[in-house]
Amino acid sequence: SPGKAMVCFGNMFVELPKAQTREMLRQDQDQLDEEINNLRKELRVKVNRLYEAQGKPELKGFNLNPMSAEEMKLINRILEG
């Protein structure tokens, strides 16, 4: 029906308003993004410890962060002239 969406919770489908469904999905995505970022930070520390324990030099460039969409737009604008 208009304004409704079917959502699967485990093995059960529930019909909810689209606005509520959209908000639930946005919150879930925000939480997943936060967890992914935390895991990436922890991974960097663990890899550095592993390399240190093996007596290898620290990885170069491993602590870099990706550019934001705004930063990429500025770079492209500079490159275009």
Side-chain angles (χ1 to χ4, degrees):
S1 62
K4 298 273 185 172
M6 294 296 289
V7 182
C8 181
F9 291 107
N11 61 355
M12 177 178 58
F13 282 91
V14 179
E15 191 172 21
L16 296 172
K18 283 185 180 179
Q20 182 181 358
T21 304
R22 188 176 296 118
E23 181 61 24
M24 284 174 32
L25 290 172
R26 189 194 60 74
Q27 288 175 355
D28 284 349
Q29 188 63 50
D30 289 346
Q31 181 182 358
L32 289 171
D33 289 342
E34 186 177 323
E35 288 179 29
I36 288 169
N37 288 332
N38 288 338
L39 288 171
R40 284 182 179 150
K41 288 176 188 174
E42 291 173 16
L43 178 63
R44 290 176 181 163
V45 172
K46 289 177 181 179
V47 168
N48 282 334
R49 270 195 258 145
L50 177 63
Y51 268 68
E52 184 181 312
Q54 293 175 341
K56 295 181 180 178
E58 186 176 315
L59 286 176
K60 293 182 181 178
F62 191 65
N63 291 323
L64 297 175
N65 292 318
M67 285 199 263
S68 67
E70 185 176 321
E71 290 170 327
M72 283 300 298
K73 286 179 187 176
L74 292 173
I75 295 289
N76 287 332
R77 196 176 304 154
I78 290 170
L79 292 175
E80 290 172 358

